[in-house]
Amino acid sequence: MFMMFAMTSDSVGEIIKEVKVAFEVTNAQASLMHSLPMLGIALSGLLLGFLADRLGRKVTIILGLSVFGLACYSFFIASSFTLIVSLMTLSGIAVGIFKTGALALIGDISSSTRQHTATMNGAEAFFGVGAIIGPLIVAYLIHKDVPWQYLYIIAGGICTLLIVIAGFMKYPSYKKANADAAQKVSVRQSLELVKNPYALGFSVGAFLYVAAESAIYVWMPSYLLCDATTVKAAYTCYSEGFSQTLAIYSVTAFFILRAAGRFLGIWMMARFNWSLVLLLFSGAIVLCFAGGLAGGKQVALYLFPLTGIFMSVIYPTFNSKGISCFPKHQHGSVAGVILFFTAAGAAAGPFIMGLVSDAMGGDAKYGFMVASVFASLLFIGLLYNYLRNPTLARLRTIEATEYGVER
């Protein structure tokens, strides 16, 4: 599921290049192809995240996959910018439903909060694989003069297969709330969770991280483009060989490094202090952004894709630790809250960057300056987290009450 979702969502940077030419839209208008689906995920996660706790993981996942598949197949008739954006938004709503079910399911199969973090990195690693496959499929389709919409037809086929598998799969039982608490599993409970300091803290962190990360796969292709009459000729300013190849496949390089880092994170997060790892990696992201802006496109060509290795473990760990701060019968609801802020960051970040870039003459480097601010705020927050360790006592309590682990 994570791979399928990533195939579509993380291909948007490549698709935007084609849509801008086909429909003659501005940077801000084109960014709606990313921002509106993320808004759909955000609202769906916040308002419908409780379904995983009320209806169960299996029903919620199948419901979300069904809506997502319908949206994907509808791209076969999508021929206008408005319809394309509308279908992308519907697919975002569907993702918010099945992803909260999947995130809650990870808690059901984990035996400790540490294992939860490792498992989350594993799931997000497959998201990273999908992020590699998606842009490659789009590039291949365009090279063969096949409409990029066929990416969604392929995703729809995978979705159909997942629905069949989910229908026959036996899901593990989870610790449900008592009768009184179960009646309170609702939209109101999800909204109340926003005020919880643990849910809010990790949610804000997710917002800042995704706002910075989305700059890479949404606007890096536009930033690295040189002046040319066509997209195919736009990378000729880079010397032939590795530099020109990296310029063309920079987004793919970023996703490969991010996926590799997440598979490594399965091992890393089971052995090292997660707060220290996140602090060091967030600092490296800030340095890469600053160096890429100060050194220009020739330097950014290397430093921007390199951020993939440093970004790899941050979001899965935020998700895992945030969810682990709550009992299992609330995992669906709190996953929805974190997903809301995640998608809000993915929606707001690129849109703000597009507005700033348009205001400054259309140069995407000004959008990356905004992304650098998001990355810097994330580093400051993780520095506080490392120095104060505010979740230590909470996680120990959850370990004892939910997983039976005494420390």
Side-chain angles (χ1 to χ4, degrees):
M1 286 188 291
F2 281 55
M3 185 187 75
M4 176 197 65
F5 162 46
M7 284 174 56
T8 57
S9 66
D10 285 9
S11 299
V12 69
E14 300 297 327
I15 294 173
I16 280 177
K17 291 190 302 183
E18 300 300 316
V19 170
K20 285 174 64 178
V21 174
F23 297 98
E24 299 181 347
V25 295
T26 66
N27 285 331
Q29 290 172 327
S31 69
L32 293 176
M33 296 175 61
H34 179 74
S35 297
L36 288 182
M38 291 301 108
L39 181 60
I41 295 174
L43 294 177
S44 180
L46 182 63
L47 302 179
L48 301 177
F50 72 93
L51 293 178
D53 297 325
R54 172 173 285 186
L55 301 180
R57 319 315 195 198
K58 184 173 185 176
V59 173
T60 302
I61 288 173
I62 292 177
L63 174 62
L65 288 175
S66 299
V67 177
F68 187 85
L70 176 64
C72 285
Y73 288 128
S74 297
F75 270 91
F76 190 76
I77 60 172
S79 58
S80 68
F81 181 72
T82 301
L83 181 56
I84 287 171
V85 173
S86 299
L87 290 175
M88 287 182 169
T89 304
L90 178 61
S91 69
I93 295 172
V95 168
I97 296 173
F98 74 68
K99 191 172 182 180
T100 51
L103 292 174
L105 182 62
I106 290 175
D108 298 341
I109 64 176
S110 300
S111 59
S112 68
T113 58
R114 184 179 290 270
Q115 186 191 46
H116 189 283
T117 301
T119 304
M120 188 71 75
N121 272 274
E124 291 289 352
F126 280 92
F127 182 96
V129 172
I132 297 169
I133 296 173
L136 287 177
I137 292 175
V138 173
Y140 179 79
L141 292 174
I142 293 172
H143 178 70
K144 294 295 184 179
D145 293 323
V146 177
W148 58 263
Q149 286 93 331
Y150 276 85
L151 169 69
Y152 282 85
I153 306 303
I154 295 171
I158 297 174
C159 187
T160 301
L161 177 61
L162 287 173
I163 292 172
V164 174
I165 294 174
F168 287 98
M169 184 70 66
K170 182 179 180 181
Y171 281 58
S173 59
Y174 67 97
K175 184 178 179 181
K176 296 183 179 181
N178 57 44
D180 291 336
Q183 293 178 354
K184 297 179 181 178
V185 176
S186 62
V187 174
R188 183 174 181 178
Q189 184 202 51
S190 297
L191 294 175
E192 289 176 350
L193 278 174
V194 176
K195 297 182 292 185
N196 183 285
Y198 298 105
L200 181 60
F202 284 108
S203 295
V204 171
F207 177 96
L208 293 172
Y209 162 74
V210 175
E213 180 204 47
S214 58
I216 296 293
Y217 62 81
V218 175
W219 292 120
M220 181 170 65
S222 297
Y223 176 65
L224 294 179
L225 285 177
C226 306
D227 294 332
T229 55
T230 66
V231 172
K232 291 183 179 180
Y235 293 105
T236 55
C237 64
Y238 299 99
S239 58
E240 292 190 9
F242 179 75
S243 294
Q244 190 174 96
T245 301
L246 180 58
I248 296 172
Y249 296 104
S250 57
V251 173
T252 301
F254 166 77
F255 286 139
I256 289 174
L257 290 174
R258 193 181 66 175
R262 283 179 175 171
F263 279 112
L264 179 62
I266 301 172
W267 173 84
M268 186 184 304
M269 287 304 170
R271 289 166 175 80
F272 298 106
N273 183 336
W274 67 273
S275 60
L276 177 60
V277 172
L278 264 57
L279 173 64
L280 295 177
F281 278 23
S282 65
I285 294 170
V286 174
L287 292 177
C288 286
F289 274 19
L293 288 171
K297 296 179 180 180
Q298 297 291 343
V299 177
L301 174 63
Y302 297 92
L303 291 184
F304 282 2
L306 183 62
T307 59
I309 195 71
F310 303 120
M311 291 183 177
S312 60
V313 299
I314 294 180
Y315 180 69
T317 304
F318 275 160
N319 229 340
S320 171
K321 296 304 181 185
I323 293 172
S324 294
C325 282
F326 295 85
K328 290 186 178 182
H329 68 264
Q330 288 186 303
H331 278 190
S333 297
V334 71
V337 171
I338 296 175
L339 186 59
F340 169 80
F341 281 88
T342 297
F351 185 68
I352 294 172
M353 295 168 205
L355 289 177
V356 172
S357 296
D358 284 343
M360 301 301 291
D363 194 334
K365 75 176 182 180
Y366 295 103
F368 270 98
M369 292 180 183
V370 177
S372 298
V373 173
F374 288 133
S376 299
L377 292 174
L378 176 64
F379 173 75
I380 293 172
L382 287 172
L383 177 61
Y384 170 83
N385 178 69
Y386 175 70
L387 295 176
R388 298 297 297 272
N389 202 358
T391 61
L392 179 62
R394 178 73 171 186
L395 289 174
R396 283 180 175 175
T397 300
I398 293 295
E399 287 272 13
T401 58
E402 295 293 315
Y403 300 99
V405 179
E406 295 288 350
R407 290 190 178 184

